[in-house]
Amino acid sequence: MPSSATAPVDASNEPPKPPQGGLDGYFKITERGSTPAREVRGGFATFFAMAYIIVLNPIILGSAKDMYGNQLDNGQLVTATVLVAAFTTLLMGVIGNVPIALAAGLGVNTVVALQLAPRMSWPDAMGMVVLAGFVVMLLVATGLRERVMNAVPLGLRKGIAIGIGLFIMLIGLVDSGFVSRVPDAAHTTVPLQLGGDGHLTGWPVLVFVLGALLTLSLLVRKVPGAILISIVAMTITAMIIDAVATVPSWGLTAPKWPGNPVASPDFGLVGQISLFGGFGKVGMLTGILFVFTVLLSTFFDAMGTIMGVSDEAKLTDSKGNVPGMNKILFVDGIAVAAGGASSSSATTCFVESTAGVGEGARTGFANIVTGGLFTVALFLTPIATMVPSQAATPALLAVGFLIMSGSVGQIDWSDFTIAIPAFLTMTMMPFTYSITNGIGVGFITFTVLRLASGRGREVPVAMYVVSAVFAFYYLMPALGLT
């Protein structure tokens, strides 16, 4: 990627040193042009950028009821969410050696809460998530999953990376309150608006604006630790504001020092699954379709994230492939199953890992830091959740820019069979708020346009198969299969 995408890190005053021992050699820290300090900063930045999942996942799952009216305990959900995030992030660091952290996937947890649970028990629903994880691991073991990823043309891969950049930027803008959804009662076709009412008002939004300006200014000046410095500075600023001013709401997390920072974990939900009980409730066909829905969401969300983060971290080769991909994908499959086994929903790769990459992370050692912080959060959840989203989300805005600036020039815009699918991929991700939807639209369009231009033989067989699967997935509601 062009140096502009990583200049804030590579131009720092920390030149890589010769290998310092076993740790450096195992994680290839020096070989990848990084330093232990950058990896540590990256690990902290990623943790703070995604720590909101500790609060958000329990809210999404805990607010739903299964067919018997049962709800999951919030405290147990917090423990399950943090436990699996820590375990899978550490596992990805040790086995995959990439700076890609994992946690309960947004989107798929909604599928579990609103589609699966209401038609069966919670153990049944989580059992189907475990089955989806087993299928993912089977696809990896047979080489099919890596074959699908390698079949994606380079130009379309860049479109996926750019789409993720735009998507995480939008996530940052929405989570910070800088933009918000226009309520249906407004009877307007405009989906988003500035602030909460068309204007920027309130202290939380000011914290985000100041944080964004601080982050970008530090990046322009090539200050080492720019993203992490901004997160810490704006958290302190938010705490001061919250202490001296009346702030109605900070959203999911408030910048208040907890009265009791230590909380005992409750592992009551771990292992509460029924692998095949759901099929008895909804039937074999519907059960298979439920597993397929979970599988599709986790499969392509992770694929897009892995591509985008690896590309930004300059871990890809000249063809855009990631060395050691099979190990990365297998850990992702384990993560899906582990999420179901803990009742925290499917765990997947988090796009917020780009915050750590933007801070300099290039190896799995950053994951050791992030996973370690999640482990500590098992006992210090009140502290982990005191960083408001307004302090962490400016990192997503900055990283979104870095990803786009490093990829947009590498797409062959003169070849419409690549340019149009890439364009649709990068726009559909933020517009539909889904990485999977962006990939699906891009794949189908690429296949159709290559056929329409008489270049169908240039399309890999795997792309035909995946495009057909996506087409079926989108037609499922019309066919009465959902």
Side-chain angles (χ1 to χ4, degrees), residues 38-64:
R38 293 177 189 171
E39 298 298 313
V40 171
R41 290 202 308 264
F44 269 86
T46 293
F47 174 77
F48 286 124
M50 61 186 289
Y52 67 86
I53 197 65
I54 299 174
V55 177
L56 185 56
N57 191 52
I59 288 176
I60 292 174
L61 293 177
S63 62

Side-chain angles (χ1 to χ4, degrees), residues 440-468:
V441 171
F443 280 17
I444 292 173
T445 306
F446 170 76
T447 302
V448 170
L449 293 184
R450 280 289 165 95
L451 285 170
S453 62
R455 300 167 62 184
R457 292 183 179 180
E458 299 177 15
V459 180
V461 174
M463 287 294 287
Y464 279 116
V465 174
V466 174
S467 296

